[in-house]
């Protein structure tokens, strides 16, 4: 049973480009969380999604950031017109159902904006 | 006041020592509690759940004190491999939507010294 899969592992973008980060949850998990982590800082919640629904996006910047979790395929975190301050590690986590808060994390995507 | 507060450390302890971390939470209605471990540049991994009755897993003991709103993690006979950041995690019902919101503390850094 494969764990949470994130790709790419590393992503380099120039300012103004778009970044797409993908997350495939564990088999049987329909709940996905995205977190951002800056160096030497804690995990910051961004968004919580269930299949085809955004449940809580209170941690996501209002502009340039969006997330989706379609019926088929991975969850996507999209950052448009990236800036240097977007450079961070982005972790995705999944859980099997609402009420089970044990989260299983992917290895993360390290985004570097030049 | 932050929802989940931890002393970021670092805690530098010699091998074989016993070390304890505390974590306080602000929402008295919080429902589930966990400790995660995060190694440098890696994803967080679930270490153990925390129950009111306390629970033990080998050298690790976790306690929950609902009256004082804190949880603790005790590590006995520290090993070099215990060096990591320990994240306190608390879940509580979100203001909107009724789902369980998962909140991470900033983490406490432990360095075990030979």
């Amino acid at each position: 049973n494969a764990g949470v899969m994130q790709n790419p592992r590393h992503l380099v973008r120039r300012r103004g480009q778009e970044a797409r980060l993908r997350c495939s949850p564990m088999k049987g998990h329909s709940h996905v969380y995205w977190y951002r982590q800056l160096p030497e800082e804690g995990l910051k919640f961004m968004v919580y999604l269930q299949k085809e629904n955004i449940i809580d996006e209170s941690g996501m910047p209002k502009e340039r950031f969006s997330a989706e979790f379609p019926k088929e395929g991975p969850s996507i975190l999209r950052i448009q017109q990236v800036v240097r301050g977007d450079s961070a590690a982005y972790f995705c986590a999944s859980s099997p159902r609402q009420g089970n808060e044990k989260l299983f994390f992917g290895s993360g995507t390290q985004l570097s904006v030049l | 006041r932050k929802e989940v507060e931890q002393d970021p450390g670092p805690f530098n302890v010699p091998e074989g020592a016993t070390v304890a971390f505390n974590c306080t939470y602000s929402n008295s209605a919080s429902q589930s509690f966990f400790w995660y471990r995060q190694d440098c540049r890696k994803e967080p991994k679930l270490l153990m759940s925390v129950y009111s009755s306390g629970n033990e897993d080998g050298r690790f003991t976790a306690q929950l004190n609902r009256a004082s709103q804190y949880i603790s993690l005790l590590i006995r006979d520290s090993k070099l491999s215990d060096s990591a950041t320990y994240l306190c995690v608390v879940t509580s019902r979100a203001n909107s939507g009724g789902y369980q919101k998962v909140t991470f503390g900033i983490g406490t850094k432990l360095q075990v010294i030979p």
Side-chain angles (χ1 to χ4, degrees):
Chain A
N1 186 10
V4 179
M5 304 299 291
Q6 285 189 253
N7 66 81
R9 187 74 176 90
H10 297 94
L11 182 61
V12 179
R13 285 287 178 266
R14 295 190 181 279
R15 281 179 297 171
Q17 291 185 319
E18 178 179 288
R20 278 182 179 246
L21 287 62
R22 286 177 290 277
C23 170
S24 296
M26 286 181 71
K27 187 177 180 181
H29 287 196
S30 58
H31 300 254
V32 167
Y33 304 75
W34 284 94
Y35 290 84
R36 176 165 65 176
Q37 189 172 36
L38 295 168
E40 304 301 320
E41 292 191 12
L43 287 164
K44 301 290 186 191
F45 168 78
M46 298 184 73
V47 61
Y48 163 46
L49 311 101
Q50 294 179 23
K51 278 288 187 182
E52 300 184 270
N53 291 305
I54 296 175
I55 305 303
D56 182 355
E57 57 182 346
S58 60
M60 204 146 70
K62 294 287 187 288
E63 297 178 352
R64 301 190 298 108
F65 285 72
S66 62
E68 62 176 8
F69 188 15
K71 186 176 180 181
E72 301 291 338
S75 175
I76 305 288
L77 179 67
R78 182 183 178 202
I79 310 173
Q80 295 177 289
Q81 298 173 325
V82 295
V83 301
R84 288 221 173 105
D86 296 333
S87 297
Y90 292 83
F91 289 100
C92 163
S94 73
S95 69
R97 61 185 183 277
Q98 174 54 225
N100 183 332
E101 297 81 29
K102 292 180 183 177
L103 303 184
F104 296 85
F105 282 83
S107 300
T109 293
Q110 181 64 52
L111 173 65
S112 298
V113 180
L114 305 179
Chain B
R1 184 183 173 187
K2 289 183 181 178
E3 290 183 65
V4 179
E5 293 206 62
Q6 291 184 258
D7 181 346
F11 284 56
N12 297 313
V13 302
E15 262 187 296
T18 295
V19 61
F21 311 131
N22 280 344
C23 163
T24 59
Y25 58 95
S26 60
N27 186 346
S28 60
S30 295
Q31 298 182 326
S32 301
F33 308 87
F34 306 91
W35 283 102
Y36 278 71
R37 170 191 170 132
Q38 185 176 27
D39 292 279
C40 186
R41 297 181 181 277
K42 298 275 185 74
E43 73 274 21
K45 292 183 179 178
L46 178 65
L47 181 65
M48 57 199 307
S49 303
V50 189
Y51 305 112
S52 297
S53 55
N55 48 307
E56 188 173 312
D57 183 3
R59 297 181 294 108
F60 297 81
T61 300
Q63 293 275 356
L64 165 64
N65 186 317
R66 285 193 181 272
S68 300
Q69 292 181 212
Y70 76 84
I71 69 172
S72 63
L73 178 67
L74 182 78
I75 305 175
R76 290 180 298 280
D77 189 22
S78 299
K79 311 290 185 191
L80 295 176
S81 57
D82 294 335
S83 298
T85 296
Y86 291 83
L87 306 170
C88 170
V89 179
V90 175
T91 72
S92 54
R93 190 163 293 282
N95 290 332
S96 60
Y99 75 94
Q100 290 290 332
K101 183 179 178 182
V102 182
T103 304
F104 282 77
I106 192 172
T108 298
K109 190 171 184 178
L110 171 66
Q111 184 68 48
V112 180
I113 305 164

